[in-house]
Amino acid sequence: MATYVAVFALILAYVALVAAYSALRTLAKLRRATTLLARGTRGTEGHRSLIEATTEHAELTQTVAEQLESLRAHVDAQHATALAAVAERAAEENGALRNVALVRYDAFTDLSGRMSFSLALLDDGGDGVTISAITGRSDTRVYAKAVVGGTGEHELSPEERQAVSAAIGKKPGLFRRAS
């Protein structure tokens, strides 16, 4: 998302640079014309009247106004495109499994070290999966259960419910061990 914002800022900076350059050129023309108007012109065509100079200034002003309107429309279109890209990226992120919680425990009283665990991987809507590994003396069994809206499609163990609750109850993207 930061990349889209940076690209949008770069585009806006470029458009602003073009607009500033165009405005400076037009301003220079207006200054020259004002100087000529103040002291009068002498050239092959003779003297310009005040009406001719004023008409020329009005045309230049109209040209600048049209250029600014065109640039404004271009910037608005770029802004709308960038907003759509940001909204699309946000929609993609909503489906990401970024709410994570881990619960470690001793599944059997004769084993210690909290070698068994339940892991909840959920999106922002509470949909996702729990993965549990039950470790015994001679084997480890792994179970996966689907979670929809924070509730298991199959009955969840207490440790799996604890992991789901911890994943739903915290900020997205953090990985912490639930106790």
Side-chain angles (χ1 to χ4, degrees):
M1 188 158 146
T3 304
Y4 287 110
V5 171
V7 169
F8 178 68
L10 186 62
I11 290 169
L12 283 179
Y14 177 74
V15 169
L17 183 65
V18 170
Y21 177 74
S22 176
L24 284 174
R25 286 192 58 201
T26 303
L27 183 61
K29 288 179 186 178
L30 287 173
R31 284 185 181 156
R32 280 193 305 270
T34 302
T35 302
L36 291 176
L37 181 62
R39 60 174 196 217
T41 60
R42 294 191 182 106
T44 57
E45 300 173 12
H47 295 285
R48 284 192 316 173
S49 70
L50 180 59
I51 294 173
E52 291 171 337
T54 305
T55 303
E56 184 179 329
H57 283 264
E59 290 170 356
L60 285 173
T61 303
Q62 182 63 32
T63 303
V64 169
E66 290 169 359
Q67 289 174 350
L68 285 176
E69 187 60 37
S70 172
L71 285 172
R72 185 177 296 124
H74 181 70
V75 168
D76 288 346
Q78 292 294 329
H79 181 64
T81 302
L83 285 178
V86 168
E88 181 180 326
R89 179 72 175 143
E92 289 174 6
E93 287 181 359
N94 285 339
L97 299 177
R98 59 186 187 165
N99 298 305
V100 179
L102 176 68
V103 176
R104 295 185 61 146
Y105 54 94
D106 292 325
F108 303 105
T109 56
D110 61 336
L111 290 176
S112 63
R114 298 183 349 155
M115 300 302 290
S116 299
F117 68 87
S118 291
L119 174 68
L121 303 167
L122 305 175
D123 65 8
D124 290 338
D127 299 337
V129 64
T130 62
I131 300 171
S132 296
I134 309 298
T135 302
R137 287 206 178 271
S138 61
D139 64 345
T140 298
R141 296 179 184 234
V142 178
Y143 303 93
K145 296 178 185 173
V147 177
V148 177
T151 305
E153 288 186 342
H154 295 90
E155 186 173 346
L156 299 177
S157 69
E159 294 82 10
E160 290 168 333
R161 283 194 300 273
Q162 183 182 1
V164 168
S165 295
I168 289 174
K170 62 186 183 131
K171 295 180 183 174
L174 297 177
F175 183 77
R176 293 195 184 144
R177 187 175 77 195
S179 40

